[in-house]
Amino acid sequence: MSTHTVRTEPVEVPARLRQAQPERAVSAWWQAAPFTAVFAVFFLVPLALVVMVSFWNFNEYELIPGFTLRNYFNIFEGCSHLTDNGDLCVTLSTYLSTLKFCLLVWGITLLLGFAVAYFLAFHVRSPGVQTALFVLCTVPFWTSNVIRMISWVPLLGRNGLINQGLVGSGIASQPVEWLLFSDFSVVLAFVHLYTMFMIVPIFNSMMRIDRSLLEAASDSGASGWQTLWNVIIPLSKTGILIGSIFVITIVMGDFVTIGVMGGQQIASVGKIIQVQTSYLQFPLAAANAVLLLAVVLMIIWGLTRLVDIRKEL
Amino acid sequence: MSARASEPRAPGFWPLALVFAAFVLFIYGPMLTIFVLSFQGPEGGLTFPLRGLSLHWFHKLAEGLGTVDIGAAFRRSLLLGAVVMGFTVALSVLAGLAFRKKLAGGNALFYVTVASLIMPSIIVSLGIGLQFRLIDTGLKALFNTLGATGMLENYGTALGLMTSALGAHLTWTLPFGLLIMFAVFNRFNPAYEEAARDLGATPWQTFRHVVLPLIGPSVVGIGMFGFTLSWDEIARTSQAIGDVNTLPLELQGLTSTVTTPAIYALGTVTTIVSFLVMGLAVGLAMWLGKRQRRSQS
């Protein structure tokens, strides 16, 4: 009897609380408000300003509000024909060079990241070892990117370890020059810095694959490659897509890695924007940023055509 | 050795194990070389061989590198990292709680957050830089029309460590914070909260005594993400900070001017700070987890 009275009392409390539901909906809005405000003030408004200012005029001292397409014409100046030397205009050749880096880095990080994630997800049997090895891969992510870039200098430099080894063993008669401050070192640094962004989402997708599907595939006589191609890759698509979006957006907008590892000699879209801001040519920089954004969005849109990300999240 | 562990390895294991080992060597090798080289003797250069073993370059670093005040940049970065950490924890936890309820516009907010995560940093940075320059222009015009010449003369810029740079860093750290909160609440059992409510706890008591201890270790993780992401951030800060620089920005500038192992020493020091924060966070998270398990048993 006494247990009954103890039980009935608490049941009434949630009933009373449930009547207060509309009030709790308001509090959800208040809880999200500071978070929302940060993105409104520091993300949405700045983006809108970039678009707006890209149509403004400017002189050496100030920005002049107005509407002009001058900045956009300026970007594509001379792009309608090849120059006398047979080169493309600056904008097109910079985009082609940035896209080239993007494609190379994307391909290499995808292959490498997939292989590493596959090894961790399907070949390492003990969950403890799996976690330990996964953490081992993520630790360098916490060190400053610039440090990880300059850490290649003692290896790749003219007097670096690799050249010392090559010359010492007689393979090369003199130090190899293209190792550092070249396309090679830029791609190497990108792979070093951002393969993590591929491994984590792909590993995540792979861990969600039901292991009985693999057994079913092998029971039905599929070879290892067939299982990989017809079962694992389709089921890891979301991870591959998320990783790809990360790597592509980072490389397209990068100016730090290309600056440091390219010895400030290689042009990139991000670098153009950075240089223009340092000369206070904000409307030009803004027009370039709008163009960059359009290109990145088109690539992402193209990728999401291949995979319906919302369906799979 | 269990029976399963002694089974023969699947085909492809050894080649992939080799790839994995090579990858680990690839990501750790270069970093280890600069840690080793930062302990060069006074005659040492930027490359091997190691000439002597000393703390010489750390002393040089403490004296300053050229015109750059490393100590001031170090303190600025620490301060900014700590403030970003505080905001990231508070705002992510609040937003995480909000997303568990019916939140009007929640989808839109989620997409904006993801957009911020994948937006090329230079665009965000440029936008914030522009925004604060326009604020400067507006304020100066306002002072002018008000005739407040004193304020006009004293006014520098709204760009700064705790304004534009803080905002720029939050657009980078908050998406990580929110995604971690989603992962946490996906595994969270609401029965505990219902039990607390059934026992007559107020919403605040439920949060303070039930939810917070349960999510505590993950909240510490969010703090760690917030600090270390801010501590190493360059691209979003570059156009959005104004006159002063953070440590990574100074470091980026120094890569082209400093040609002594002092720069490696700086690399070693900043990495040690990152690892200390990580170590503290992991230790705190484990302690919280253990305390919670003890109180449950």
Side-chain angles (χ1 to χ4, degrees), chain A residues 41 136 142 147 164 277 310, chain B residues 28 48 111 131 228 234 239 267:
Chain A
V41 174
L136 186 73
W142 300 106
I147 314 260
Q164 283 175 12
T277 29
R310 260 180 302 182
Chain B
Y28 279 92
F48 284 103
Y111 284 119
Q131 180 185 23
T228 46
I234 294 183
Q239 317 300 323

Side-chain angles (χ1 to χ4, degrees), chain B residues 17 25 51-53 93 97 100 102 105 107 116 135 177 202 214-215 221 223 227 230 244 252 269 271:
Chain B
L25 192 69
R51 293 194 182 87
L53 208 62
V93 171
L97 290 171
R100 296 176 68 206
K102 224 169 108 92
N107 260 340
S116 174
I135 291 175
T202 63
L214 285 171
I215 65 172
F227 183 88
S230 160
V244 292
Q252 188 208 350
V269 171
T271 305

Side-chain angles (χ1 to χ4, degrees), chain B residues 263-279:
Chain B
I263 192 164
Y264 296 158
L266 181 56
T268 304
V269 171
T270 56
T271 305
I272 287 172
V273 172
S274 286
F275 280 73
L276 272 181
V277 172
M278 268 173 66

Side-chain angles (χ1 to χ4, degrees), chain A residues 102 105-107 109-111 194-199 201-202 236-252 296 299-300 303-304 306-307 309, chain B residues 118:
Chain A
C102 212
V105 174
W106 177 67
T109 53
L110 179 58
L111 275 177
Y194 300 121
T195 302
M196 257 289 301
F197 284 106
M198 280 288 189
I199 295 176
I202 296 178
S236 316
K237 254 176 159 180
T238 322
I240 293 173
L241 179 74
I242 293 174
S244 302
I245 289 177
F246 265 122
V247 169
I248 288 169
T249 50
I250 288 171
V251 178
M252 284 305 289
V296 170
I299 297 177
I300 293 178
L303 283 171
T304 49
L306 302 174
V307 184
I309 192 164
Chain B
I118 61 173

Side-chain angles (χ1 to χ4, degrees), chain A residues 48-57 63-64 66 68 71-72 282-284 286-287, chain B residues 130 134:
Chain A
L49 286 176
V50 167
V51 176
M52 185 175 85
V53 171
S54 73
F55 296 107
W56 282 17
N57 241 318
L63 306 174
I64 304 157
T68 172
N71 304 309
Y72 288 94
F282 286 105
L284 268 182
Chain B
L130 259 176
L134 292 175

Side-chain angles (χ1 to χ4, degrees), chain B residues 196-285:
Chain B
R197 269 205 302 276
D198 289 353
L199 292 169
T202 63
W204 169 248
Q205 285 173 323
T206 309
F207 176 73
R208 171 70 188 79
H209 296 292
V210 178
V211 180
L212 194 57
L214 285 171
I215 65 172
S218 312
V219 171
V220 173
I222 293 175
M224 178 186 87
F225 261 84
F227 183 88
T228 46
L229 288 174
S230 160
W231 176 250
D232 294 332
E233 166 56 38
I234 294 183
R236 296 209 177 198
T237 334
S238 61
Q239 317 300 323
I241 188 156
D243 309 328
V244 292
N245 271 340
T246 58
L247 197 57
L249 279 170
E250 296 286 16
L251 187 59
Q252 188 208 350
L254 290 173
T255 55
S256 52
T257 55
V258 176
T259 50
T260 65
I263 192 164
Y264 296 158
L266 181 56
T268 304
V269 171
T270 56
T271 305
I272 287 172
V273 172
S274 286
F275 280 73
L276 272 181
V277 172
M278 268 173 66
L280 278 175
V282 170
L284 189 61

Side-chain angles (χ1 to χ4, degrees), chain A residues 10 13-14 17 24 27-29 31-32 34-36 38-39 41-47 49-50 53 56 63 112 115-116 118-120 123 125 133 136-137 139-140 142-144 146-148 150-155 159-161 164 188 191-192 195 199 245-246 249 253 255-256 260 270 273-274 277 280 282 285-286 289 292-293 296 300 310, chain B residues 4-5 7-13 16-17 20 23-24 26-28 30-31 33-34 37 46-48 91 94-95 97-98 101-103 109 111-113 115-120 122-124 126-128 130-134 163 167 170-171 174-175 178 197-198 224-225 228 232 234-235 238-239 251-252 255 263-264 267 270-271 274-275 278:
Chain A
V13 178
L17 273 178
R24 299 226 332 270
S27 90
W29 194 86
Q31 280 173 332
F35 186 94
T36 314
V38 168
F39 284 99
V41 174
F42 292 106
F43 184 67
L44 295 179
V45 170
L47 281 188
L49 286 176
V50 167
V53 171
W56 282 17
L63 306 174
L112 190 58
V116 169
Y118 183 85
F119 174 76
L120 288 177
H123 281 299
R125 287 163 179 167
L133 290 181
L136 186 73
C137 291
V139 165
W142 300 106
T143 312
S144 161
V146 177
I147 314 260
R148 293 171 69 192
I150 60 169
S151 67
W152 282 103
V153 172
L155 295 176
N159 301 309
L161 263 192
Q164 283 175 12
L188 190 72
V191 171
H192 188 218
T195 302
I199 295 176
I245 289 177
F246 265 122
T249 50
F255 61 97
V256 180
V260 172
I273 297 175
Q274 190 223 358
T277 29
L280 302 180
F282 286 105
L292 170 64
L293 186 58
V296 170
I300 293 178
R310 260 180 302 182
Chain B
R4 193 159 177 263
E7 275 173 36
R9 289 292 186 181
F13 173 81
L16 278 171
F20 182 78
F23 176 71
V24 171
F26 170 67
I27 54 176
Y28 279 92
M31 279 164 57
T33 61
I34 75 155
L37 286 174
L46 282 175
T47 54
F48 284 103
L91 300 191
L94 278 173
L97 290 171
K101 303 170 190 163
K102 224 169 108 92
L103 181 65
L109 181 57
Y111 284 119
V112 168
T113 312
S116 174
L117 188 62
I118 61 173
M119 179 70 57
I122 182 83
I123 300 179
V124 181
L126 170 69
I128 295 176
L130 259 176
Q131 180 185 23
F132 278 78
R133 280 188 173 79
L134 292 175
T163 52
L170 287 176
T171 62
L174 284 178
L178 187 69
R197 269 205 302 276
D198 289 353
M224 178 186 87
F225 261 84
T228 46
D232 294 332
I234 294 183
S238 61
Q239 317 300 323
L251 187 59
Q252 188 208 350
T255 55
I263 192 164
Y264 296 158
T270 56
T271 305
S274 286
F275 280 73
M278 268 173 66

